[in-house]
Amino acid sequence: MPELPEVETARSLIADQALDRTIAGVDDSDTYVTRPHTPGQLRDALVGRRLTAVHRRGKSMWVETSGVEGDPAPGPDLGIHLGMSGRIVVTAPGGKATEGGGPWRRDAQPRKPEWDRFTIEFADGGRLALFDTRRLGRVRLDPDISALGPDAGEITAEEFRRVLGKGTIAVKARLLDQSKIAGVGNLLADEALWQARINPAVPVNSLRPEDVDRLYHALQAALDSAAANGGAHTGEVIPFRHAGARCPRDGAEMRHGIVGGRSTWWCSLEQA
DNA sequence: ACTCGTGTTAGCTG
DNA sequence: TCAGCTAACACGAG
C-alpha cells in the first residue's frame, strides 16, 4: 500500500526513534523477504552496530550503520522496501510501539506475530520490525538504488518533462516507472491524472507541453496533500475508484480499465 | 469459493 | 539493445 508519502512516514519514524540504539539481535529467518541473503547473513552483518542515518528515494529506504567495537569503519547499509503491505513498527525500551508506512487501518486485523517478517532487537529491549501481511516487502544489505529515477517530490519541472520522455507508452505507465520517477504508485498516479484532467491511457508522445506542465503541478499537489493528510489514499478521487461511482467534480460516470498493468479509474467526461 | 490488489521484477516479444 | 508487456510472487480482505 505504501507510496512515497507513506514511506516518508516510515523513514521519519526510523529517524526519530530507531537511530543510535545498539543492535543486539536480528531475526532474518524469512528468506523470501531477505532474498538473496541466507539466514543469519543480515544478523551477522548488523549485530553490534547502531543505525546512524536513514535515507529515502521514492519508495526505497536505506539505513546507514555504525562500526563495531574495535573496528570503527561503517557497516553495510540496510535496504528496506515496504512492498505492497509493509509497515515499520518501532518499539521503545518500555514497550510502546509506533508504526509508520501503512494504510492506517488500525485495529483492522489482529497483529499476528508471524507478520513481523524481519526484526531488529535493540540492546535496550526495544525493537524495529518490518510488519508485512502480504510479504512482498524486502530487506537487503547494500541495496542497489542506481536504477531509480529522481524522487517524485524533488524532481524539477524541466526534469519531469525530459523524464516523461518519448514513445507510445501510456502516460500512467510512465508515471509508475520507478526508473524514470521514483515514488509514484497506483493511487497517486490516478489522483494526479484526474487532477490534471488527462486520460491515463494516452501515449506520452500525444501530450502537449501544457498537459505535461499541468500534470507536473498536479503531481506535486497530490504529493503535498498526501503528505499532509496521511497518505495516498486520502486523495480526492480515491473514494470514487469503484463501480457505479460518479466523478466528484462533474458527476460523470467513473470508468475502469487496466493501464500499465494496474487497476485504473478515470472520469468519463474530463479525462475522455 | 473466488477475485482483487496503494509493488517489484524476471522474462518474453517485436 | 531497447521499449513495452505479462506473469509471477504471497496472502489477507471483501
Side-chain angles (χ1 to χ4, degrees):
Chain A
M1 325 284 206
E3 301 190 31
L4 187 155
E6 289 86 348
V7 179
E8 175 53 26
T9 303
R11 190 206 63 79
S12 138
L13 170 65
I14 294 171
D16 290 346
Q17 299 197 20
L19 302 187
D20 296 320
R21 298 167 70 180
T22 300
I23 298 169
V26 171
D27 182 347
D28 61 357
S29 55
D30 188 322
T31 53
Y32 185 74
V33 165
T34 61
R35 70 195 184 285
H37 298 299
T38 51
Q41 213 177 341
L42 285 102
R43 181 197 60 219
D44 293 346
L46 296 174
V47 166
R49 303 185 187 278
R50 288 167 289 109
L51 308 179
T52 54
V54 53
H55 310 274
R56 178 190 61 74
R57 191 197 291 181
K59 306 171 198 169
S60 295
M61 293 184 280
W62 63 100
V63 192
E64 293 180 47
T65 64
S66 72
V68 291
E69 188 116 346
D71 181 5
D77 289 347
L78 177 66
I80 303 176
H81 196 293
L82 299 178
M84 198 91 109
S85 58
R87 319 173 195 183
I88 295 296
V89 182
V90 179
T91 305
K96 184 173 186 291
T98 310
E99 60 178 72
W104 309 106
R105 290 278 177 84
R106 289 183 178 287
D107 310 322
Q109 333 98 313
R111 288 296 143 80
K112 295 191 193 170
E114 60 266 34
W115 287 341
D116 283 341
R117 309 296 185 177
F118 174 82
T119 310
I120 289 176
E121 311 278 355
F122 295 114
D124 60 24
R127 57 210 289 271
L128 179 156
L130 169 65
F131 173 88
D132 182 10
T133 52
R134 278 185 70 185
R135 213 181 175 200
L136 293 173
R138 274 189 94 158
V139 177
R140 62 198 311 181
L141 296 173
D142 291 321
D144 178 14
I145 56 150
S146 65
L148 289 177
D151 188 83
E154 293 177 5
I155 193 170
T156 64
E158 184 190 3
E159 270 181 302
F160 183 78
R161 254 177 261 129
R162 181 168 46 75
V163 125
L164 214 55
K166 305 180 193 317
T168 57
I169 195 171
V171 58
K172 177 173 176 180
R174 180 57 48 80
L175 283 179
L176 292 174
D177 183 344
Q178 304 299 302
S179 72
K180 299 293 192 295
I181 311 166
V184 181
N186 202 29
L187 293 189
L188 276 173
D190 274 9
E191 175 74 13
L193 288 160
W194 177 77
Q195 293 284 1
R197 298 171 167 85
I198 293 171
N199 185 296
V202 301
V204 290
N205 64 8
S206 75
L207 294 172
R208 300 164 301 172
E210 59 263 39
D211 296 327
V212 176
D213 235 46
R214 222 169 47 253
L215 181 55
Y216 173 74
H217 290 294
L219 176 59
Q220 298 308 315
L223 286 166
D224 289 347
S225 163
N229 297 313
H233 65 286
T234 63
E236 266 185 76
V237 80
I238 306 307
F240 303 93
R241 295 174 82 256
H242 64 83
R246 293 188 166 273
C247 172
R249 207 160 42 203
D250 56 35
E253 187 187 339
M254 292 295 290
R255 291 265 159 78
H256 178 253
I258 303 295
V259 180
R262 312 301 298 184
S263 184
T264 302
W265 293 85
W266 67 95
C267 171
S268 58
L269 184 62
E270 291 184 321
Q271 296 173 274

